[in-house]
Amino acid sequence: MPSVVYIVDDDVSFQTAIRRRLQLAGYEVRIYSSAEQFMDQQPDDSRLGCLLLDVRIPGLSGPELQACLHEAGSTLPIVFVSAYDDINTVVQTVKAGAEDFLIKPVTSDVLLAAIERAIARHDVSRKLQSELNLLRAHVATLTPRERQVFDLMIRGKINKQIAFELGPTERTIKAHRHMVMEKMDVRSLAELVLIAERLGLSAV
């Protein structure tokens, strides 16, 4: 399935020229004349792709759409394309996570290179998100008691300390600890601590 490039720009001549360039390069192209139209049609965030976004469009502006997508948790990378070289807007959008900011007229080579970078980044971020979802699913399989043991393990507590804190015998804690390692699919405490860090679970 080809990667998809979403274009939000009300300049019809730009839409036509860009569509042709991108289709020749093997991309699927979807065009929207406003941010509202793009939001209404809710592009499939599971598809690999990127968003080519103008800054000044009728209704919701490019940076405002960027903020909406960020708030919605979208991983779709954004390449801004604008006829206006406004340094404040460039800084604002890039700080907010834009992949690139290109000034019209833009050459095919520059545009395609920016799109390739953006899609490569989308691929990486989707794989990372998929890994995190899998790790969260592993944590969700822990029983309430196993989760308590997990939390104390990542704080560096040994079986005797965990038993003292939670009440059961040391042998019971050892069994819980074994189940935690098995369910989390790890072979060492170091792996477990790294997973906890990736998921933002407190180890203090």
Side-chain angles (χ1 to χ4, degrees), residues 137-156:
H138 285 168
V139 172
T141 65
L142 300 177
T143 65
R145 176 60 88 190
E146 287 164 357
R147 181 58 201 270
Q148 288 177 311
V149 172
F150 170 92
D151 290 339
L152 291 168
M153 286 172 69
I154 62 173
R155 287 164 56 187

Side-chain angles (χ1 to χ4, degrees), residues 81-151:
V81 185
S82 175
Y84 305 95
D85 188 5
D86 175 40
I87 191 67
N88 290 331
T89 305
V90 175
V91 171
Q92 175 198 336
T93 54
V94 171
K95 276 188 175 179
E99 179 66 31
D100 213 331
F101 197 109
L102 308 176
I103 304 301
K104 295 177 184 176
V106 57
T107 66
S108 293
D109 289 349
V110 169
L111 183 67
L112 290 170
I115 288 170
E116 281 172 23
R117 283 195 305 272
I119 290 175
R121 192 172 74 128
H122 194 209
D123 193 29
V124 170
S125 67
R126 284 173 68 214
K127 284 173 181 168
L128 287 174
Q129 192 58 50
S130 180
E131 287 171 17
L132 289 176
N133 289 341
L134 181 62
L135 294 176
R136 289 190 187 102
H138 285 168
V139 172
T141 65
L142 300 177
T143 65
R145 176 60 88 190
E146 287 164 357
R147 181 58 201 270
Q148 288 177 311
V149 172
F150 170 92
D151 290 339

Side-chain angles (χ1 to χ4, degrees), residues 5-189:
V5 179
Y6 304 97
I7 300 173
V8 181
D9 195 308
D10 63 328
D11 182 340
V12 178
S13 59
F14 178 76
Q15 289 176 359
T16 307
I18 294 299
R19 182 198 290 272
R20 198 175 298 123
R21 289 190 212 177
L22 296 179
Q23 286 175 336
L24 282 171
Y27 294 107
E28 182 181 329
V29 181
R30 299 187 192 173
I31 293 177
Y32 309 85
S33 295
S34 70
E36 287 83 356
Q37 187 188 15
F38 175 79
M39 295 288 277
D40 286 346
Q41 297 193 20
Q42 295 183 324
D44 182 3
D45 201 28
S46 67
R47 286 282 300 276
L48 198 58
C50 76
L51 171 60
L52 272 189
L53 180 57
D54 194 4
V55 172
R56 299 185 185 181
I57 40 181
L60 210 63
S61 73
E64 286 168 339
L65 174 58
Q66 180 188 29
C68 289
L69 290 172
H70 178 72
E71 206 172 290
S74 171
T75 60
L76 195 65
I78 298 174
V79 174
F80 277 94
V81 185
S82 175
Y84 305 95
D85 188 5
D86 175 40
I87 191 67
N88 290 331
T89 305
V90 175
V91 171
Q92 175 198 336
T93 54
V94 171
K95 276 188 175 179
E99 179 66 31
D100 213 331
F101 197 109
L102 308 176
I103 304 301
K104 295 177 184 176
V106 57
T107 66
S108 293
D109 289 349
V110 169
L111 183 67
L112 290 170
I115 288 170
E116 281 172 23
R117 283 195 305 272
I119 290 175
R121 192 172 74 128
H122 194 209
D123 193 29
V124 170
S125 67
R126 284 173 68 214
K127 284 173 181 168
L128 287 174
Q129 192 58 50
S130 180
E131 287 171 17
L132 289 176
N133 289 341
L134 181 62
L135 294 176
R136 289 190 187 102
H138 285 168
V139 172
T141 65
L142 300 177
T143 65
R145 176 60 88 190
E146 287 164 357
R147 181 58 201 270
Q148 288 177 311
V149 172
F150 170 92
D151 290 339
L152 291 168
M153 286 172 69
I154 62 173
R155 287 164 56 187
K157 303 287 186 182
I158 60 173
N159 290 350
K160 186 181 288 186
Q161 292 169 314
I162 296 173
F164 179 77
E165 192 154 331
L166 298 182
T169 64
E170 204 172 323
R171 178 180 290 181
T172 304
I173 293 301
K174 191 175 180 181
H176 284 315
R177 193 180 184 112
H178 175 75
M179 286 305 298
V180 168
M181 299 290 278
E182 199 168 274
K183 287 183 177 181
M184 293 304 297
D185 193 25
V186 294
R187 300 288 167 266
S188 69
L189 179 61

